[in-house]
């Protein structure tokens, strides 16, 4: 049963603006709304407001027009509708730019409802009905649709109507929605959105469990060790190496000598030119060597996700490891000393560039895991097709490795943010994990490159 709000027109100022943060019920709200329509006329029309200058309230056309408006207003998405009039929508009858002639008095709310019911169906939500008197014989009418709700069904038209103007026609079974300033049949995407609305009311809130698989590593003295190895490499060009007292140094010199071979055949000028070029590339060599060294030496990391009692459609999950760095994981078999420690001379293949092992790894555009470093943090983005209720989803552990930027830290803060396709809610969480024991880069390098077979 619609509620009837009756008031009389009095003196009042016409406003050019309209406050859509209000609820359009009550005398003040309806007067302000009428003033706005008189000020701008049809320009006032929007997804939440429609204006009819006049209607024969006893005719079939009027019933069809009002039913069409109510159907379109009922088939809105709740969050979009809530941006104006707290979700309500209003049809103003009997007003236009520069005046409000009104329609003849006598329209009763319950009689209008009886004429609309064949089009709206028995389950259609109630609507509000308001009026402002113009003079002794006329009044402006307001049909006010309720805010749509999550979980509501789709409201289809229940009866056809054919009028002289095809824009007034209604089709039995059709789904109508509000356009920018009119009511029209729904398009496919709008129907799908309404299906999601109908599902939304029954969905529990998202409860996500996020677990990190694999170690968050701490490695000390990486650049120092690579610099030391560059020193050994330099010795191979200048002279034959002397016996070293340090086991790491002695083994490194032997490896460098075996990899790069002797340089006795080179002239002094050749050696000096190669050495100068090598020195100039120091920063690039160290950076590339560090990525390769840690990528092949450290264990890969993955993420396991469980959605408790809830299907999550097309999730977008961002996991941020604060104060950490991500590097591409490389298989131990990809370990290459000449990539970790740039040689001064590549005698066997002098024109061949170092192999970029990470670039060789084919990755589909549909692969559900991406990773990057953002500022001082590491960011992993997971975009699987879905998270199924209570079924663990786990990423591979051969995508990336994680190292702390501060080798002395003993724990890492991790935050995550989840959004779901078709859902405006944002779910977030946080956890703190301990790091692995501190590893010395010299020991790590020796275990990978300098093993005594």
């Amino acid at each position: 049963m619609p509620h009837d709000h009756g008031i009389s027109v009095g003196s009042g100022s016409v406003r050019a603006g309209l406050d859509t943060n209000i609820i359009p019920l009550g005398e003040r709200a309806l007067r302000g709304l009428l003033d706005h329509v008189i000020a701008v006329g049809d320009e006032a029309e929007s997804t939440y407001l429609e204006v009819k200058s006049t209607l024969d309230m006893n005719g079939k056309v009027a019933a069809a027009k009002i039913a069409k408006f109510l159907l379109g207003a009922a088939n809105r998405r709740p969050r979009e509708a809530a941006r104006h009039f707290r979700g309500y929508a209003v049809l103003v009858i009997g007003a236009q730019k520069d005046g409000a002639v009104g329609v003849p008095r006598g329209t009763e709310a319950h009689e209008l409802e009886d004429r609309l019911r064949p089009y709206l169906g028995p389950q259609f939500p109630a609507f509000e009905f308001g009026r402002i008197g113009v003079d002794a014989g006329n009044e402006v009418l307001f049909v006010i649709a309720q805010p749509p709700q999550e979980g509501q069904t789709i409201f289809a038209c229940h009866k056809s109507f054919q009028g002289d103007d095809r824009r007034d026609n209604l089709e039995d079974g059709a789904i109508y929605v509000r356009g920018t300033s009119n009511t029209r049949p729904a398009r496919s995407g709008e129907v799908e959105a309404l299906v999601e609305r109908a599902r939304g009311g029954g969905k529990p809130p998202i409860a996500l469990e996020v677990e990190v698989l694999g170690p968050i590593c701490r490695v000390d003295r990486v650049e120092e060790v690579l610099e030391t190895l560059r020193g050994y490499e330099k010795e191979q060009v200048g002279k034959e190496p002397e016996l070293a007292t340090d086991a790491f140094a002695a083994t490194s010199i032997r490896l460098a000598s075996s990899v790069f071979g002797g340089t006795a055949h080179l002239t002094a000028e050749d050696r000096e030119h190669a050495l100068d070029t090598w020195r100039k590339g120091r920063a690039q060599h160290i950076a590339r060597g560090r990525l390769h060294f840690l990528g092949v030496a450290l264990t890969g990391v993955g993420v396991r996700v469980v959605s408790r009692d809830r299907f999550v459609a097309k999730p977008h999950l961002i996991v941020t490891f604060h104060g950490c760095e991500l590097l591409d994981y490389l298989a131990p078999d990809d370990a290459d000393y000449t990539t970790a420690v740039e040689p001064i001379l590549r005698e066997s293949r002098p024109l061949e560039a170092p192999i970029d092992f990470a670039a060789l790894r084919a990755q589909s555009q549909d692969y559900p895991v991406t990773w990057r470093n953002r500022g001082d943090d590491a960011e992993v983005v997971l975009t699987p097709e879905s998270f199924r209720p209570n079924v663990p989803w786990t990423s591979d552990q051969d995508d990336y490795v994680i190292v702390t930027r501060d080798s002395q830290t003993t724990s890492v803060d991790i935050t995550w943010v989840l959004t779901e396709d078709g859902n405006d809610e944002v779910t977030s969480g946080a956890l703190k994990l301990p790091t692995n024991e501190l590893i010395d880069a010299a020991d790590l390098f020796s275990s990978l490159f300098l093993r005594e077979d």
Side-chain angles (χ1 to χ4, degrees):
M1 178 76 180
H3 299 283
D4 193 338
H5 303 271
I7 55 182
S8 297
V9 142
S11 61
S13 61
V14 175
R15 299 182 309 175
L18 178 65
D19 180 7
T20 64
N21 292 318
I22 64 170
I23 295 176
L25 299 174
E27 178 178 357
R28 179 179 297 180
L30 293 183
R31 285 185 184 277
L33 187 53
L34 178 57
D35 288 346
H36 179 68
V37 172
I38 293 173
V40 301
D42 290 343
E43 293 179 14
E45 293 192 318
S46 63
T47 57
Y48 52 89
L49 179 59
E50 186 168 334
V51 179
K52 300 296 182 186
S53 59
T54 186
L55 282 179
D56 177 5
M57 295 302 295
N58 294 317
K60 294 181 179 180
V61 173
K65 286 179 179 287
I66 296 171
K68 194 171 189 178
F69 165 78
L70 287 171
L71 287 166
N75 287 328
R76 293 174 296 154
R77 299 190 67 177
R79 285 190 174 273
E80 295 173 0
R83 295 171 185 167
H84 303 282
F85 288 157
R86 309 290 180 88
Y88 288 86
V90 184
L91 170 62
V92 181
I93 304 171
Q96 60 187 4
K97 186 175 177 64
D98 298 329
V101 176
V103 296
R105 289 177 180 267
T107 301
E108 296 297 333
H110 68 276
E111 293 176 354
L112 178 61
E113 183 185 26
D114 289 342
R115 299 209 309 274
L116 295 177
R117 186 177 295 115
Y119 298 106
L120 303 180
Q123 303 302 318
F124 195 84
F127 58 90
E128 304 283 339
F129 188 72
R131 65 182 83 226
I132 293 179
V134 174
D135 53 35
N138 292 289
E139 60 188 356
V140 175
L141 301 180
F142 300 83
V143 178
I144 306 159
Q146 296 279 351
Q149 303 293 328
E150 291 290 349
Q152 278 185 322
T153 186
I154 300 174
F155 296 103
C157 181
H158 283 244
K159 180 183 177 181
S160 295
F161 173 79
Q162 302 294 323
D164 294 335
D165 188 338
R166 63 181 181 81
R167 291 175 298 179
D168 299 331
N169 291 351
L170 293 172
E171 295 294 336
D172 186 7
I175 299 170
Y176 294 99
V177 296
R178 286 292 297 166
T180 304
S181 60
N182 67 338
T183 302
R184 55 171 175 74
R187 302 185 179 104
S188 59
E190 293 164 330
V191 174
E192 291 172 355
L194 288 171
V195 171
E196 288 300 316
R197 184 189 77 173
R199 292 174 177 170
K203 285 186 177 181
I206 295 175
L208 213 63
E209 296 176 4
V210 178
E211 179 185 1
V212 177
L213 307 177
I216 298 176
C217 297
R218 294 188 291 148
V219 186
D220 197 21
R221 300 194 315 116
V222 176
E223 286 77 8
E224 179 184 337
V225 167
L226 292 176
E227 284 283 15
T228 301
L229 291 166
R230 282 174 64 84
Y232 300 152
E233 163 62 11
K234 180 181 176 182
E235 291 185 36
Q236 305 312 302
V237 175
K239 60 179 180 179
E240 289 299 320
E242 298 177 359
L243 291 177
T245 57
D246 177 75
F248 172 72
T251 312
S252 300
I253 292 172
R254 290 199 304 274
L255 178 60
S257 179
S258 65
V259 170
F260 305 125
T263 59
H265 65 285
L266 296 176
T267 66
E269 184 179 354
D270 289 337
R271 295 185 187 194
E272 189 58 36
H273 176 73
L275 186 58
D276 183 60
T277 302
W278 180 77
R279 283 171 176 159
K280 290 178 180 177
R282 173 191 170 279
Q284 181 182 356
H285 298 162
I286 291 288
R288 183 169 61 233
R290 177 179 177 276
L291 294 177
H292 182 77
F293 166 38
L294 296 178
V296 295
L298 299 179
T299 302
V301 176
V303 177
R304 176 179 294 154
V305 180
V306 180
S307 176
R308 289 301 177 195
D309 305 321
R310 171 74 147 74
F311 180 87
V312 181
K314 295 185 178 179
H316 185 276
L317 177 63
I318 302 175
V319 183
T320 302
F321 298 80
H322 297 274
C324 293
E325 180 184 4
L326 288 167
L327 302 92
D328 289 338
Y329 169 86
L330 299 172
D333 290 343
D334 291 337
D336 178 65
Y337 186 92
T338 64
T339 304
V341 182
E342 180 70 19
I344 299 173
L345 297 167
R346 292 179 179 271
E347 291 191 342
S348 59
R349 297 182 296 273
L351 298 179
E352 185 174 303
I355 298 173
D356 184 352
F357 291 96
L360 296 177
R361 301 174 63 202
Q363 196 172 97
S364 168
Q365 290 183 343
D366 297 328
Y367 192 62
V369 184
T370 59
W371 55 97
R372 61 182 174 180
N373 294 302
R374 183 188 288 272
D376 292 332
D377 303 327
E379 188 175 275
V380 176
V381 181
L382 306 178
T383 54
E385 186 64 26
S386 64
F387 293 142
R388 296 187 174 277
N390 305 312
V391 177
W393 184 93
T394 306
S395 68
D396 295 334
Q397 287 184 245
D398 60 355
D399 291 325
Y400 51 85
V401 301
I402 301 180
V403 294
T404 60
R405 294 186 183 275
D406 178 3
S407 62
Q408 301 307 310
T409 190
T410 58
S411 64
V412 167
D413 291 318
I414 301 169
T415 57
W416 55 265
V417 177
L418 172 73
T419 54
E420 177 187 23
D421 187 52
N423 184 354
D424 293 332
E425 296 290 341
V426 177
T427 308
S428 60
L431 60 153
K432 182 185 287 286
L433 291 182
T435 61
N436 265 24
E437 293 293 327
L438 182 64
I439 307 171
D440 186 84
D443 296 336
L444 189 63
F445 198 96
S446 296
S447 67
L448 182 68
F449 289 102
L450 310 178
R451 295 189 301 266
E452 294 286 350
D453 295 327

